Every structure is written in C-alpha cells, then in structure tokens.
C-alpha cells in the first residue's frame, strides 16, 4: 500500500492505494503548508493498511534532484508560505517513510506510463492545458529532469496580433504559449469562462492553432512517440481533433514517421486515466522511493541514481 | 584506432585517430553514394594501423534505431541517389568492421561531451547554425533519439512581419526557425553573404533575437545545463554575446537557475572542439560500436540497448 499527493496551488489531492482498481482519494484546500500537511498526514494515518512510502507530484518550480540539499523543496513560487518550503522533507519527517517527489506533470506522465495511454512507451510527452500549461517528458525510458525541470508552457510561439490582438496574460512573458492558451488566457481574451464558449466559437480554432504550434516545438525537440493531452481545457471534446488536424498542417509532412502521419489519432491522445493520471503517478513515485530505500539499506554507501525508475 | 565520417550534403569529412591530439582527416565532395564511399573506404584502408570500428554522424533524416531493419539508412532526403541509402550498412559491408551511426549534431554533442565543452555533463544541447539549423541533446546522460530524432531547426518562433517582412526559406514551413535564421535565410533576406554583413548591421540583432527565441523553446522543454552553439553562422564572434543578452531578456528571470541567470557566459558557449566536434564524435560512436560488438560476441543472444553509450 502506497500514498500519493498531487500538490496543486488551490487543492491537494491525497490518495492511498495500489493502482487504478484500488485507490481512495480525498481533497484538501491548499492553505498554509502546516495546515494543509496536517490534514494530509491525518488522511494517511487513517489508511486501512500501513503505507510503505508516499509520492508527491507538486506544483512548481521545485527541486527534484535527489543529490541536491534542497531536494523536495518548492522553490520560487509566489504562493504565500510555500516559497522554499520543503514539502517532501516535511512529509518524510511526519510520516517516517520514504518520499518520492517530482513535478505534477512528470507524475502524470509516470501514471500514464504505468497504467494509461503510454504503457510500454520509452518516448512520450504528457501535457496539461488548464489553469496553466505544463508538460512532462519521458525520454529513452527515463523521466526528463534536466537542470531544473521542463517549463513547457513558457515556450514562445508565433502570435499574429492581427488575428488575435490579445496581449497574453503570463506575468513573465506576456504571450508565451501559457499566456495565450491556458484556461485563464481564454477567459481573459473572450471574457467568458471557456466552458461556456460554444463549440463553433472562433476561440477554439485559435486555441487549437496555438496548442498545435506548441506540439510542433515539442515534436521537433523531443521526437516523442506519443503526446497525451489532459487538463481542464482539454475537457472540450471537440478540441483534440482540431489540434490533430492543425498539427498535421503545420508539420506539412516534414517528420516522416508513420506513427505520426498515418496514425494521428493514436499519436495525440487523451489520458487513459482521466484526471487520475497525476495522483496515480504519485503511487508510482512512492513505489520508486520505497525501492530506492531498500536498495540503499541493503547496500549502504551505494547511492542510487535519480535516473533509476520503476 | 577508430575511423569516423561526418557525412554532409556537400562534403564528407573522414578521419582516423583516437582523439583531438591524434586525428588525421580528409574531405571528399558528396557525389553519388558509390563514388563517395569508395573514396572514403580508400582513405580508411590507408590508415597507418588497423581500424577497429567506424562511427558516422550523418545528415538526415536517418534511421538510427539499432533494432530497426532500416538502421543506418538516410531516409527521406531529396538529395539524388541518397534517399533510402543504407550508408552504415554499406560501410560495414565494405570494411568488415562495426559501424556506429547517429545524426551529425548528435555526433557533435557526443564529441563535445568526451573532449570539449560538455565534459561530465548529463544534460546539454549542441546546436549548429549554418546551412541549416539542427540540434543534438543529451538528456540524463543519454543521447536523445526518440521516435525519429530531433529536428530542432523546424520549431516555430514568433515572427514579427512588420520588423521582418521576409517570408522565410524553409520549403516545408516557410518561417520556421531554420527558414528565418539559417545562413541561407540571412543571405536571402539581405541579398549578401552573411560573412560580408558588417558587425553593426541590423541583421545580427534580428539573428540574435530569432536564435534566442529558439533557445527559450529548448530550455523550457529540455532544461539543459548548457547550450553549445557551433556552425558557420556562429563564426561571427559578436553574435554569441548578443544571443546571451537577448535570451536573458526573453526568459525574464522565470527559470530560477543560478547556472543560467548568474553565469550566462558559461551557459551558452562555443564548441571547444571548433569545427571538429562532429568528426571527433564519430570516433566516440565508433568506440561505442566496437564495445557493443564485443559485448554481443561475448554474450551471444544478448542485444545491447541503443541507449548504452560510452
């Protein structure tokens, strides 16, 4: 039995279980770190069996390098009280069990790889389009971390100000992809919540165009074998086919991969785990942390690599 | 002693040696595959010691997956005679030794990792800006291949047609990054060879802007610890500092990494191996192919992973 936390800026989802068929979740509003974690710890203590480890998929930016002294810390968030807060360290201290830690989108990618739309895949991207835009990537079988971790939503894309005079809402970059195409960006541009925009509204053609431009960048850079698109904005079921069409037009046959050109419906897909990708990925992170702990206690002095994964 | 080929669309560079201090190179114009390879084979036969293996860094697109039946093939190039030509297979047949094979930019990345500007680095990007724009990435210590391989030059970037009405020259995408910022794009826009554009010409500010926009995409997607910029256009020594300044402005402090914010001169750098990155990387590919061959002959039936690298 493992525990998982999907740590978001507005809510924490906590879960105990072993997989999609056996999971119990609860939601906690994100207030102060102390208050939020106290409720989370209470939830884990009430689990019907002892929890071996927990995994946290967190909002960021975070420090996720095992060898870093600040491993487990939410770093430069503007969210009051959370800046430089070591969430993984705090949970480890309170629960006395190993804690796995990664970005929320990497957790979702890991969840989809174990049980969802990327089973057996060595190269793919999980993307969320909602309050923000973020991506997690698996490259050659390993989760991509890099120097910090990806911030895929902040790539720049072509922005035709004649077609779309909206300036974008990213406080850092204005019209980066997230500034143009996140849920709040759609809402700010059209002054209506995205859910209330009718299917035929031009907003969706523009949204599909921007997201497809993002996909082009990630395809040309990571060469993924599949892209999974989740998040609140992607709940608009008509959006995904529009993105696929726009993507093929933009690539214009340049990437000669049958999986992409002949099979776009299997190339850009929805998450198979619905909105549980991230929290289920947390269980996988927990399992990995438990395995790491066992390896290091049976081989003291041997430090396992942060690249090692289940 | 290893052999190496840097296979380009206009010339082949061939080399024998063991590293930067011990390398002998020659150049062959790229004509038909048969003619070009015959001259290359002659060069390798004249080496002063037997060659254990050769490594090829090739123009593309190529099939570089060891487990693929088309491994070693240049796939959809428009170059006459080379389309679907199995260059690695042809060299292996003629020389009777193991052949390593990767993209030209991945080879350059590998060369820089062994002897150049990325020694010891697990996450970095090697970029070339010349006749085309291409990038190779090392992620978590392994060269990124993915479904096909990256085609970094073909990402889309913001293109302000008021500031720059030039339509771009990419036959597939028009104003993708390569279409706007490769050497031939500069030449087509200003109707002068880039080498003859004076240092203060507005062409360079625009070029730095476009390349920095590209760097933003790769940083947000791959989170590399360093970016190495080579290729003919980067021979303009004043360009690199302009790119660094523009990059910091575009990122606007969002990526909170000291290595980037406080140390930009060590973050975006020139290749240490000059224009030998690719051919030296070919020697490393050769060494890896020899090691793979030894492993599979001492463990018959055990197939080594294409992720295994020196």
């Amino acid at each position: 039995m493992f525990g998982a936390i999907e740590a978001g800026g507005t809510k924490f989802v906590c879960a105990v279980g072993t997989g999609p068929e056996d999971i119990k979740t609860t939601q906690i509003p994100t207030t102060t770190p102390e208050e939020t974690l106290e409720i989370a710890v209470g939830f884990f203590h009430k689990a019907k069996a002892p929890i071996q480890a927990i995994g946290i998929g967190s909002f960021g930016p975070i420090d996720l390098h095992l060898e870093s002294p600040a491993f487990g810390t939410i770093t430069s968030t503007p969210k009051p009280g959370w800046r430089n807060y070591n969430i993984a360290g705090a949970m480890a201290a309170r629960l006395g069990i190993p804690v796995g830690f990664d970005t929320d989108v990497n957790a979702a990618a890991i969840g989809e790889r174990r049980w969802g739309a990327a089973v057996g895949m060595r190269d793919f991207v999980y993307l969320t389009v909602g309050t923000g835009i973020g991506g997690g990537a698996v490259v050659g079988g390993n989760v991509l971390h890099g120097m910090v971790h990806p911030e895929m939503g902040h790539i720049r894309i072509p922005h035709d100000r004649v077609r779309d005079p909206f300036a974008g809402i990213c406080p850092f970059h204005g019209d980066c992809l997230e500034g143009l195409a996140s849920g709040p960006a759609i809402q700010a541009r059209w002054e209506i919540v995205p859910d209330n925009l009718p299917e035929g509204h031009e907003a969706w053609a523009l949204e599909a165009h921007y997201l497809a431009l993002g996909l082009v960048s990630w395809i040309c850079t990571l060469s993924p074998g599949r892209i999974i698109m989740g998040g609140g904005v992607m709940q608009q079921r008509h959006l995904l086919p529009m993105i696929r069409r726009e993507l093929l037009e933009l690539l214009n046959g340049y990437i000669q991969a049958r999986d992409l050109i002949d099979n776009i419906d299997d190339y850009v897909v929805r998450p198979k785990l619905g909105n549980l990708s991230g929290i289920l990925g947390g269980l996988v992170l927990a399992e990995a942390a438990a395995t790491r702990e066992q390896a290091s206690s049976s081989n003291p002095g041997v430090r396992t690599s942060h690249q090692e994964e289940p």
Side-chain angles (χ1 to χ4, degrees), chain A:
Chain A
M1 176 81 78
F2 294 109
I5 296 177
E6 190 175 20
T10 55
K11 68 170 194 278
F12 272 43
V13 180
C14 299
V16 291
T18 57
E21 308 301 320
D22 167 34
I23 187 166
K24 189 184 161 217
T25 66
T26 192
Q27 288 194 12
I28 305 167
T30 309
T31 57
T32 64
E34 290 68 26
E35 189 175 58
T36 312
L37 264 57
E38 193 184 318
I39 302 173
V41 166
F43 171 78
F44 291 119
H45 278 151
K46 281 186 295 184
K48 65 182 190 302
I51 295 167
Q52 293 178 52
I54 69 160
I56 304 173
S58 179
F59 70 105
I62 63 174
D63 188 330
L64 47 62
H65 291 292
L66 267 183
E67 67 278 16
S68 161
F71 171 77
T73 300
I74 297 171
T75 58
S76 57
T77 177
K79 199 167 170 62
W82 291 89
R83 190 181 176 93
N84 296 325
Y85 184 73
N86 193 324
I87 182 174
M91 288 306 289
R94 282 167 213 216
L95 293 171
I97 53 176
V99 176
F101 188 61
D102 213 320
T103 64
D104 43 11
V105 278
N106 278 345
I110 293 169
E112 288 290 328
R113 175 170 67 175
R114 173 67 68 90
W115 293 294
V119 170
M121 297 205 71
R122 295 177 58 83
D123 297 276
F124 68 96
V125 168
Y126 174 90
L127 198 74
T128 182
V129 186
T131 312
I133 295 180
V138 170
V139 169
N142 295 313
V143 176
L144 188 159
H145 287 164
M147 176 179 61
V148 185
H149 49 68
E151 290 281 359
M152 295 197 197
H154 293 271
I155 63 170
R156 301 300 221 286
I157 55 164
H159 174 202
D160 178 350
R161 286 176 189 262
V162 177
R163 178 179 178 191
D164 175 29
F166 181 66
I169 60 161
C170 174
F172 287 88
H173 311 123
D175 64 349
C176 65
L177 179 61
E178 178 170 300
L180 289 173
S182 65
I186 300 173
Q187 185 163 351
R189 180 188 290 107
W190 304 104
E191 298 179 340
I192 181 174
V193 290
D195 286 354
N196 293 341
L197 282 164
E199 196 175 312
H201 195 284
E202 60 180 309
W204 298 118
L206 194 66
E207 180 72 7
H209 178 63
Y210 288 147
L211 293 175
L213 283 163
L215 298 194
V216 167
S217 268
W218 300 314
I219 290 168
C220 289
T221 302
L222 294 165
S223 195
R226 180 166 291 158
I227 296 175
I228 305 167
M229 299 189 75
V233 171
M234 297 307 299
Q235 299 294 318
Q236 303 289 328
R237 306 292 289 185
H238 60 285
L239 185 56
L240 195 63
M242 297 170 76
I243 295 169
R244 290 177 182 138
R245 276 195 301 275
E246 185 84 22
L247 173 63
L248 287 179
E249 267 180 46
L250 286 167
L251 288 175
N252 195 23
Y254 183 75
I255 309 284
Q256 290 280 336
R258 299 265 72 90
D259 285 348
L260 171 54
I261 291 178
D262 296 342
N263 221 352
I264 189 74
D265 291 354
D266 278 336
Y267 186 81
V268 185
V269 302
R270 299 179 202 286
K272 265 201 187 153
L273 304 176
N275 57 8
L276 294 178
S277 318
I279 194 71
L280 285 165
L283 295 181
V284 184
L285 287 171
E287 189 188 78
T291 305
R292 214 161 32 226
E293 180 76 7
Q294 279 167 2
S296 67
S297 56
S298 62
N299 293 296
V302 175
R303 183 102 200 213
T304 58
S305 157
H306 73 281
Q307 287 297 324
E308 205 167 285
E309 274 154 31

